[in-house]
């Protein structure tokens, strides 16, 4: 585990220890608080002894995202008791259910636009972020990928969701929206946590403004061809004072935008070769005239045959925005 995360956890444990001391010395303090205090002290001793984060059963490393969520864990996922495993599975499926409620409606549409997406976590929960928010007569589209995966990434994903949902109500210009969201994200995450994102605003007349914070190229799909549009800025959460340059693109009726996360481009075939951005572009060219849901389906079908149904290792999200008239 990196030193920044270790010092973050040490600080967390010390803060919690203070709180527990106060609470357990009050009149209502009970034995369970004293037990927690003992557990916190034991975790601090493990930090001092250099054994923190090592499974007491197999002596291998405990999963870093679990330690960040709960620095008191002492066993790796493989060595939980039956009871702990059941509790964890229940927690995860609850979290997965909550995460699904954060997604846009599957048949989403507004004046002049229609969207279709595919959201597929590598395990139960995902670090990918996908949202569509009606705003100012048009709408905002947001697609992001939090670094890492699993529970820690999914918590940051829901944090991003809340941040953008709150800021969207203020109808800020795109650069300001990004600057505010970035600052909030920086202030509430530890070093090394960041997210690549595309955030755009689209109007009924086909005008689209967008910012790409270090994200993979988005594709403008039209009868004239498929044009890749590269990132315009650094990922969210890297530097608290960052400017995000805005790009503009105009979609004619029938045109589409294709956005995706690296669960698509980094999927490997049997030879260890990645699917890559060029294949996404070629596929979009072949299906330029397809309806949005057919483009999503074609993408998934090709990915399945490319990877020969290999196990999905990263969260995958596809989003197609279609200008209808
Ligand atoms: Zn273990």
């Amino acid at each position: 585990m990196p030193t920044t995360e270790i010092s973050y956890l040490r600080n967390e444990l010390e803060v919690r220890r203070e709180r527990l001391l106060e609470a357990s010395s009050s009149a209502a303090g009970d034995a369970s608080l004293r037990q927690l205090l003992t557990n916190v002290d034991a975790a601090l001793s493990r930090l001092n002894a250099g054994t923190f984060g090592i499974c007491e059963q197999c002596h291998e490393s405990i999963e870093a995202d679990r330690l960040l969520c709960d620095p008191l864990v002492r066993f790796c996922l493989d060595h939980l008791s039956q009871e702990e495993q059941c509790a964890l599975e229940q927690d995860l499926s609850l979290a997965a259910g909550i995460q699904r409620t954060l997604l846009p409606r599957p048949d989403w549409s507004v004046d002049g636009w229609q969207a279709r997406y595919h959201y597929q976590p590598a395990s139960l929960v995902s670090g990918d972020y996908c949202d569509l928010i009606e705003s100012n007569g048009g709408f905002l589209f947001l697609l992001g990928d939090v670094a890492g995966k699993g529970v820690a990434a999914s918590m940051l994903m829901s944090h991003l969701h809340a941040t953008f949902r709150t800021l969207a109500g203020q109808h800020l210009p795109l650069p300001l929206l990004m600057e505010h969201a970035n600052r909030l994200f920086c202030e509430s995450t530890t070093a090394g946590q960041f997210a690549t994102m595309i955030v755009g605003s689209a109007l009924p007349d086909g005008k689209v403004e967008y910012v790409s914070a270090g994200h993979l190229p988005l594709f403008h799909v039209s009868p004239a061809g498929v044009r890749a549009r590269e990132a315009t800025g650094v990922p969210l959460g890297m530097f608290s004072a960052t400017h995000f340059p805005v790009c503009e693109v105009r979609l004619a009726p029938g045109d589409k935008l294709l956005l995706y996360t690296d669960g698509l481009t980094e999927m490997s075939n049997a030879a260890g070769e990645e699917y890559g951005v060029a294949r996404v572009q070629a596929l979009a060219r072949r299906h330029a005239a397809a309806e949005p849901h057919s483009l999503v389906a074609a993408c998934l079908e090709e990915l399945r045959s490319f990877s020969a149904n290999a196990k999905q290792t990263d969260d995958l999200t596809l989003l197609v925005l279609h200008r209808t008239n």
Side-chain angles (χ1 to χ4, degrees), residues 148-259:
K149 53 194 167 192
V151 176
S154 77
M155 288 171 78
L156 283 178
M157 173 273 176
S158 60
H159 178 68
L160 278 178
H161 180 274
T163 302
F164 277 103
R165 282 269 160 179
T166 307
L167 290 174
Q170 300 179 18
H171 306 293
L172 299 167
L174 206 47
L176 267 184
L177 169 71
M178 290 303 284
E179 281 167 33
H180 284 317
N182 179 58
R183 199 168 311 119
L184 288 167
F185 195 66
C186 279
E187 282 165 4
S188 50
T189 54
T190 60
Q193 293 180 312
F194 61 91
T196 67
M197 274 196 86
I198 291 177
V199 179
S201 81
L203 292 172
D205 67 358
K207 184 185 159 191
V208 173
E209 283 186 341
Y210 69 91
V211 158
S212 173
H215 200 76
L216 290 157
L218 76 90
F219 291 116
H220 176 191
V221 185
S222 73
V226 176
R227 193 165 162 209
R229 294 182 167 260
E230 305 287 336
T232 57
V234 295
L236 228 66
M238 277 203 165
F239 307 98
S240 68
T242 313
H243 178 65
F244 294 91
V246 173
C247 290
E248 200 181 303
V249 49
R250 195 167 276 277
L251 270 72
D255 285 7
K256 287 178 281 284
L257 290 178
L258 170 62
L259 293 78

Side-chain angles (χ1 to χ4, degrees), residues 286-301:
R286 288 197 303 281
H287 296 271
E291 289 294 313
H293 69 273
S294 308
L295 179 54
V296 169
C299 232
L300 294 174
E301 186 47 47

Side-chain angles (χ1 to χ4, degrees), residues 61 93 99 144 209 223 249-250 266 277 280-281 293 319:
S61 297
S93 41
Q99 201 169 36
E209 283 186 341
V249 49
R250 195 167 276 277
E266 290 179 7
V277 172
V280 184
Q281 188 165 12
H293 69 273
L319 172 64

Side-chain angles (χ1 to χ4, degrees), residues 13 43 52 56 70 96 159 206 229 236 265 272 298 305:
L13 283 166
F52 182 83
E56 292 180 16
D70 180 4
H159 178 68
R229 294 182 167 260
L236 228 66
T265 48
S305 69

Side-chain angles (χ1 to χ4, degrees), residues 55 57-58 76 79:
C55 171
Q57 176 87 28
C58 68
C76 75
H79 296 108

